[in-house]
Amino acid sequence: MKFKLLILCVMFSVCFSATAAKKLPIESFASLKSFSRLQLSPNGENLAFVRNVKGELVLMVYNIKDASFKSILKSDDHTIFFDWYKWANDDILLLGARYIKRQRGGIKYASTRLYSYNIKNNESIKMATKPDYGRDERQPQFEDQLLSFLPDKKDTVLLQADYDVPNMPAVYELDLNNQRKKKVQRARSSVVDWIADRQGNVRIAKKMDDDKFSYELLNQQSGDWETLFEYSAFSDKSVAILGFDKNPNFIYIKAIHNGRDAIFKFDITTKKRELIYNNDKYDADGGIFYSVKTGEVAGFTDSHIPDGVQYWDADLAALQAAIRNVLPADEFSVDILNTSDDQQKYVLFMSSDSTSGTYLLGDRETSSLAVFATDYPDIDETVYRGKKHISFKARDGLTIEGYLTLPVGYKEGDKLPTIIFPHGGPMARDYSDFDYWTALLAYHGYAVLQPNFRGSSGYGYDFLMQSVQGFGQAMQDDLQDGALWLVEQGIANKDKICIGGASYGGYAALMAVVKHPETFKCAASFAGVSDLEHLVGQARFFTNKEIVRKQFGTDDEVLAKSSPVNYAKQINRPVLLVHGSDDNVVPVYHSREMEDELDDEDKDVTYIELEDGDHYLSYQPYRIKTLQAFLDFFDKHLKDE
């Protein structure tokens, strides 16, 4: 297959870069993506996407034939959020939207609704479902939990919602034409999620009871439920169901194999597992995906294989190979995001070490591939050089991997002001892909290290479990070891190292100036935890309280020793705190209390509270404000002194 490559020069270094001629504003990095979430309609005639218009997100549909645009709905990512959308058929686009609501007493909470939009008529977007108050149904908090597009019932979908009993979802067939719903699976005690097979039959129930989980399978002959898997939180017996095979007797699961997550095919009739993919060094970190043409499992994703994907579907594999024949094999990675139902039209995402990513529209019938949009239009190789994969030895000999971002123009021997930037989670990890935090800091002359400290995901069960009741301990020391390694490498100026982060990364930044003030000259925290005792105490109000207690422990003395809020008197480094007042992951209490304790001790602390801000810096003005505050703070303490 040969392609006509249209306007592709925009992605290559031979093209003139306007960004090289002038200093970029912070908005070039801190704005929300310019375009995102491109999805082709099943017939390939229309493309849905989100466009950022000066911080306002607009859900739009682009007609590929006549190059026309329709604006469907706007969001500020502040009071209303587009959580997901998907084509139900050639004409109807389904949207899951999230709102922030207020209870009596002023407590705010998130609630979701399901909307539909028909591109063939001139009607506005409308609610796809609602409670039947005549049958005493209640308004669910979450009403957009889609389970399946039923293959044999046109314009009908499966969704789960707790219309009858709070926190006990049942399953309904929903007719998208008349908004009528029919219950097909009643709610059951402790069931939090349902899973349907590829034919649209509800087959598996996921149950949660304190810190215990189980998956139960419906016996279609007897109607009885039998246990497939059961495990406790943080157990090496944990299982995640990735989805059904087209043959309903098989599912794909992720479970531990030789100490690391692997992908298996599981026969639900014989209970036998077949190993599909594992990596001796890393956890399998992806999942399966399906061919829209055949309905079969088309392959799996994993960040450690070329292009992050393994195709089983012969047609998609041929498409990937054809693309690879005309695009640089080493410099760029390519990802087929989605296709039309006949797999003739497709959306391609192309990225490299020095770009944030570009979307292209492909047409196999015309052998064309054309640029449609980029994530961050101002970011190219003139301002960003990408991340380098590194590793270092912690003080106990454990190997810690991570990613190092250096400024464009860095020369060996330069000793740079340096930021250690631990990720959130902590059961998460950093990858080599573009992120706006490190790109901005490197652009302004900083070396930025993102260590995947012990307790991070991706490196096996034993490595991950070191974050359980490990806050402030060896996982904290790994951050100092990373900073000292950069000094040894001749990259970091030992007198100009600070630390910053968000969520757990914010906690780790605060603990760093408690535990290792000789290394870190300042600490910046966005939405960081400061009081572990308070965190565990508040868990009693939530259904996951036993999991929280298991993760952090319940010994108040131990929790107090690992809580930055209790060390205000001994902190003698400047601290920046930024927190959203509506953060429902790490409540704003943590930064308010930390600021109050530091202020009482007359310490150098700056506190910025983002009114109605969330945990993810979803609102563009707050993202820009926060990154500007971090940059100004680091500049003040690492450059201006």
Side-chain angles (χ1 to χ4, degrees):
M1 183 181 295
K2 296 181 179 179
F3 285 93
K4 295 178 288 187
L5 299 184
L6 309 180
I7 60 175
L8 273 177
C9 70
V10 71
M11 295 184 295
F12 294 91
S13 59
V14 295
C15 297
F16 174 74
S17 173
T19 60
K22 61 181 180 179
K23 191 75 172 177
L24 292 180
I26 195 168
E27 288 81 2
S28 295
F29 299 88
S31 294
L32 301 174
K33 290 181 179 180
S34 180
F35 287 80
S36 59
R37 295 187 270 178
L38 280 66
Q39 288 192 25
L40 276 174
S41 61
N43 59 13
E45 294 180 2
N46 291 282
L47 178 72
F49 61 92
V50 171
R51 176 79 167 99
N52 179 1
V53 182
K54 296 181 179 179
E56 186 173 59
L57 301 184
V58 184
L59 176 59
M60 307 184 74
V61 171
Y62 170 64
N63 184 286
I64 296 174
K65 286 186 176 180
D66 61 22
S68 63
F69 293 86
K70 285 185 179 180
S71 297
I72 299 174
L73 190 65
K74 296 180 180 179
S75 162
D76 58 5
D77 252 18
H78 194 45
T79 56
I80 179 174
F81 305 81
F82 300 147
D83 280 353
W84 63 269
Y85 53 86
K86 192 170 180 64
W87 292 97
N89 52 46
D90 290 334
D91 301 327
I92 296 177
L93 188 66
L94 289 182
L95 166 71
R98 175 166 42 97
Y99 297 86
I100 303 300
K101 298 195 171 186
R102 189 184 297 271
Q103 287 181 326
R104 292 178 182 176
I107 298 175
K108 294 183 179 180
Y109 65 98
S111 183
T112 64
R113 298 290 178 266
L114 184 66
Y115 291 88
S116 68
Y117 177 76
N118 192 318
I119 63 172
K120 286 294 180 67
N121 59 40
N122 293 319
E123 297 177 2
S124 59
I125 194 166
K126 62 183 180 181
M127 297 285 291
T129 183
K130 58 184 179 180
D132 186 342
Y133 295 110
R135 296 184 178 180
D136 295 324
E137 289 185 344
R138 59 186 292 276
Q139 177 63 64
Q141 181 178 355
F142 304 108
E143 203 173 17
D144 68 334
Q145 296 179 300
L146 199 67
L147 299 184
S148 174
F149 291 93
L150 299 177
D152 297 327
K153 294 185 178 181
K154 186 181 179 182
D155 303 339
T156 305
V157 298
L158 277 187
L159 77 158
Q160 68 172 39
D162 53 349
Y163 287 106
D164 297 325
V165 182
N167 300 317
M168 288 181 59
V171 181
Y172 301 82
E173 283 188 5
L174 173 66
D175 189 316
L176 297 174
N177 294 314
N178 56 30
Q179 288 75 54
R180 293 177 181 171
K181 61 184 188 296
K182 179 179 71 173
K183 187 185 296 185
V184 295
Q185 172 60 56
R186 64 179 179 82
R188 295 180 62 223
S189 177
S190 301
V191 173
V192 293
D193 282 305
W194 300 93
I195 301 174
D197 61 23
R198 299 295 292 164
Q199 290 71 37
N201 302 305
V202 179
R203 299 289 306 284
I204 295 177
K206 182 179 182 179
K207 302 180 75 172
M208 174 181 172
D209 186 8
D210 291 332
D211 68 333
K212 305 293 192 298
F213 295 89
S214 64
Y215 288 102
E216 295 187 353
L217 174 70
L218 175 64
N219 186 310
Q220 293 180 300
Q221 280 71 45
S222 67
D224 296 330
W225 292 87
E226 58 185 65
T227 300
L228 275 180
F229 314 106
E230 53 185 347
Y231 57 91
S232 299
F234 311 121
S235 165
D236 61 359
K237 306 300 182 186
S238 297
V239 171
I241 293 181
L242 303 178
F244 270 87
D245 190 77
K246 190 174 183 179
N247 181 336
N249 290 324
F250 294 93
I251 58 175
Y252 290 85
I253 65 172
K254 188 180 292 185
I256 292 175
H257 174 73
N258 293 336
R260 287 172 174 78
D261 283 343
I263 297 176
F264 294 86
K265 189 174 183 179
F266 183 84
D267 188 328
I268 59 178
T269 60
T270 66
K271 309 300 187 292
K272 292 183 178 180
R273 301 183 182 190
E274 175 190 355
L275 181 63
I276 298 297
Y277 171 76
N278 73 297
N279 186 310
D280 291 338
K281 189 174 181 181
Y282 301 103
D283 290 319
D285 57 9
I288 61 171
F289 59 94
Y290 297 92
S291 164
V292 292
K293 184 177 181 179
T294 67
E296 300 277 2
V297 176
F300 65 89
T301 59
D302 185 80
S303 67
H304 305 101
I305 57 180
D307 286 328
V309 63
Q310 175 65 56
Y311 288 104
W312 295 333
D313 180 90
D315 187 49
L316 288 175
L319 174 58
Q320 178 83 352
I323 293 169
R324 270 297 177 204
N325 283 336
V326 295
L327 296 180
D330 297 327
E331 184 179 357
F332 289 89
S333 63
V334 295
D335 181 12
I336 302 169
L337 297 182
N338 50 81
T339 75
S340 56
D341 275 358
D342 61 6
Q343 294 182 172
Q344 293 302 298
K345 297 180 175 64
Y346 59 95
V347 178
L348 186 72
F349 184 71
M350 188 171 179
S351 60
S352 73
D353 288 344
S354 58
T355 63
S356 61
T358 300
Y359 300 97
L360 300 95
L361 301 184
D363 189 329
R364 301 170 80 179
E365 294 175 348
T366 60
S367 296
S368 63
L369 185 60
V371 169
F372 182 77
T374 58
D375 278 346
Y376 294 90
D378 292 342
I379 309 300
D380 62 20
E381 69 283 347
T382 67
V383 299
Y384 177 66
R385 60 182 290 167
K387 301 176 181 179
K388 179 183 178 182
H389 180 252
I390 60 92
S391 65
F392 60 89
K393 292 289 187 181
R395 62 195 63 185
D396 61 356
L398 183 66
T399 297
I400 304 296
E401 296 187 358
Y403 295 92
L404 176 63
T405 309
L406 296 170
V408 171
Y410 169 79
K411 296 181 179 61
E412 188 174 350
D414 291 348
K415 294 185 184 298
L416 299 175
T418 297
I419 310 298
I420 307 300
F421 204 86
H423 59 72
M427 291 182 170
R429 59 159 295 178
D430 278 312
Y431 289 91
S432 63
D433 52 328
F434 176 88
D435 73 79
Y436 55 87
W437 285 100
T438 56
L440 173 69
L441 293 170
Y443 179 67
H444 284 270
Y446 293 100
V448 187
L449 178 63
Q450 298 171 279
N452 283 328
F453 47 86
R454 71 191 73 202
S456 300
S457 61
Y459 298 90
Y461 176 78
D462 292 340
F463 193 94
L464 178 70
M465 286 301 107
Q466 293 186 70
S467 67
V468 176
Q469 300 185 31
F471 278 44
Q473 299 173 43
M475 59 196 295
Q476 185 71 45
D477 296 337
D478 291 343
L479 306 181
Q480 185 192 37
D481 292 340
L484 297 178
W485 176 80
L486 282 176
V487 173
E488 292 173 1
Q489 298 299 305
I491 296 171
N493 181 333
K494 67 180 180 62
D495 297 319
K496 293 185 178 295
I497 303 176
C498 281
I499 185 168
S503 195
Y504 172 81
Y507 163 87
L510 296 175
M511 276 304 294
V513 291
V514 171
K515 198 170 183 181
H516 304 122
E518 71 279 11
T519 298
F520 299 105
K521 310 308 177 189
C522 66
S525 165
F526 171 73
V529 173
S530 70
D531 188 342
L532 298 183
E533 288 179 277
H534 179 81
L535 186 152
V536 173
Q538 291 296 298
R540 67 185 185 277
F541 298 113
F542 300 92
T543 56
N544 67 338
K545 59 183 181 295
E546 293 303 325
I547 297 174
V548 173
R549 291 166 179 167
K550 196 170 186 177
Q551 181 177 5
F552 293 95
T554 56
D555 187 321
D556 288 343
E557 184 177 348
V558 173
L559 294 171
K561 286 181 178 179
S562 298
S563 295
V565 72
N566 297 321
Y567 296 94
K569 188 171 183 177
Q570 74 182 61
I571 291 177
N572 289 306
R573 297 298 189 190
V575 171
L576 170 67
L577 303 167
V578 185
H579 216 121
S581 65
D582 278 3
D583 191 329
N584 61 4
V585 179
V586 177
V588 70
Y589 161 88
H590 288 271
S591 288
R592 287 177 178 172
E593 190 68 12
M594 190 75 203
E595 189 271 340
D596 185 56
E597 293 296 321
L598 289 169
D599 190 59
D600 285 348
E601 298 293 339
D602 199 27
K603 297 304 173 74
D604 185 350
V605 58
T606 302
Y607 177 49
I608 299 172
E609 187 164 309
L610 307 173
E611 184 178 357
D612 301 330
D614 67 5
H615 190 69
Y616 307 102
L617 288 175
S618 303
Y619 184 45
Q620 181 167 294
Y622 286 170
R623 182 173 294 191
I624 293 170
K625 183 176 183 177
T626 299
L627 266 68
Q628 185 69 67
F630 268 57
L631 183 61
D632 291 345
F633 179 75
F634 292 141
D635 283 351
K636 177 181 178 181
H637 297 292
L638 295 179
K639 291 183 178 180
D640 295 344
E641 293 179 347

